[in-house]
């Protein structure tokens, strides 16, 4: 049985990775979304166990000590981490797992799971990126300046990923990612059993 794909999607703050990932999950019924744990407070409309597992700093530290994270990082003063158990369980069953995580976390996953599929989303322009961050309506001028400057620095790190997708429209970005998934499934190193079945007497 072919092992599932670990699909990691990242992008600078305001790039629209959340919207793209939601559309991917709607269009690919077999794709499993890995919910991250975080110490930040829920935003309006967010539910514990749906968007994130909202836990205390003390509980987060305990999970670190128990090695329950595939990766974890501090982002804008809050802790985020990917619980490892469900991810490995799904992959071993041949199911694909989607991680929507920040760049720092993705770089940590790359070290542990070089077999993952790493996709970096780019905004169509810095002007559009600025508009998207402002469009949230929850940023103070100081927070906006910090997020925007950080986003420009994060974009440069995107060169470390395997794939880049320009998020000009959600529809186009999703179609490109679906093409990447299809290509990854056809890689020789993911299908060695096909050769063995044909060549073994």
């Amino acid at each position: 049985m072919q092992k599932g794909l670990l699909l990691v999607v990242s992008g600078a703050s305001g790039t629209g990775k959340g919207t793209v990932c939601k559309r991917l999950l709607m269009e690919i019924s077999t794709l499993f979304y890995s919910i991250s744990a975080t110490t930040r407070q829920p935003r309006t409309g967010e539910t514990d166990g749906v968007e994130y597992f909202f836990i205390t700093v003390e509980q987060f530290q305990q999970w670190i000590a128990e090695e329950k994270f595939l990766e974890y990082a501090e982002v804008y003063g809050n802790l985020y981490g990917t619980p490892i158990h469900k991810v490995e369980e799904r992959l071993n069953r041949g199911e694909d797992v989607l991680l929507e995580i920040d760049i720092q976390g993705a770089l940590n996953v790359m070290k542990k799971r070089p077999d993952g599929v790493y996709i970096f989303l780019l905004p169509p322009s810095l002007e559009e990126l600025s508009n998207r961050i402002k469009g949230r309506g929850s940023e103070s001028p100081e927070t906006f300046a910090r997020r925007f400057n950080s986003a420009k620095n994060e974009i440069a790190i995107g060169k470390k990923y395997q794939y880049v997708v320009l998020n000009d429209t959600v529809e186009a970005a999703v179609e490109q990612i679906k093409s990447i998934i299809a290509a990854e499934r056809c890689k020789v190193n993911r299908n060695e059993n096909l050769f063995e079945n044909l060549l073994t007497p």
Side-chain angles (χ1 to χ4, degrees):
M1 179 179 67
Q2 190 181 55
K3 197 170 183 179
L5 296 176
L6 178 62
L7 191 68
V8 180
V9 176
S10 306
S13 177
T15 305
K17 56 184 179 293
T19 303
V20 169
C21 287
K22 284 179 183 176
R23 183 68 65 87
L24 272 174
L25 291 164
M26 288 173 57
E27 297 191 13
I28 307 175
S29 60
T30 55
L31 190 60
F32 170 73
Y33 180 72
S34 174
I35 301 173
S36 297
T38 182
T39 59
R40 78 160 170 79
Q41 292 299 307
R43 293 178 182 142
T44 303
E46 290 183 330
T47 304
D48 182 48
V50 179
E51 287 81 13
Y52 290 94
F53 295 115
F54 295 100
I55 63 177
T56 64
V57 173
E58 291 75 19
Q59 189 175 357
F60 199 101
Q61 295 293 351
Q62 183 178 344
W63 286 16
I64 291 175
E66 295 172 355
E67 298 184 348
K68 289 186 175 181
F69 290 119
L70 175 62
E71 59 79 30
Y72 62 90
E74 182 177 341
V75 183
Y76 301 122
N78 296 301
L79 295 167
Y80 293 81
T82 301
I84 194 170
H85 175 67
K86 288 294 183 183
V87 171
E88 294 295 345
E89 190 178 87
R90 296 270 181 173
L91 292 175
N92 290 332
R93 288 208 303 255
E95 299 174 16
D96 297 335
V97 177
L98 172 64
L99 297 188
E100 177 204 332
I101 55 178
D102 71 287
I103 293 167
Q104 186 181 352
L107 294 178
N108 289 333
V109 177
M110 284 181 195
K111 297 173 185 175
K112 294 182 179 179
R113 296 299 302 264
D115 59 329
V117 182
Y118 298 91
I119 301 171
F120 193 84
L121 288 183
L122 282 177
S125 67
L126 288 180
E127 181 181 4
E128 177 62 22
L129 179 66
S130 172
N131 291 336
R132 289 177 183 178
I133 295 174
K134 289 177 180 176
R136 291 176 173 177
S138 60
E139 310 290 345
S140 66
E142 295 78 13
T143 304
F144 165 76
R146 183 175 64 175
R147 283 190 181 274
F148 185 66
N149 290 329
S150 177
K152 289 193 292 184
N153 293 330
E154 288 172 337
I155 286 172
I157 302 174
K159 294 179 181 179
K160 295 180 181 290
Y161 287 61
Q162 296 165 315
Y163 298 95
V164 60
V165 170
L166 188 68
N167 187 18
D168 194 359
T169 68
V170 174
E171 294 77 12
V174 167
E175 286 306 311
Q176 285 189 55
I177 294 175
K178 287 162 73 174
S179 296
I180 291 169
I181 293 171
E184 284 288 333
R185 289 193 185 285
C186 295
K187 281 191 171 180
V188 169
N189 65 348
R190 297 189 192 277
N191 293 278
E192 292 180 358
N193 63 308
L194 297 179
F195 292 90
E196 292 173 4
N197 292 341
L198 286 171
L199 297 176
T200 302

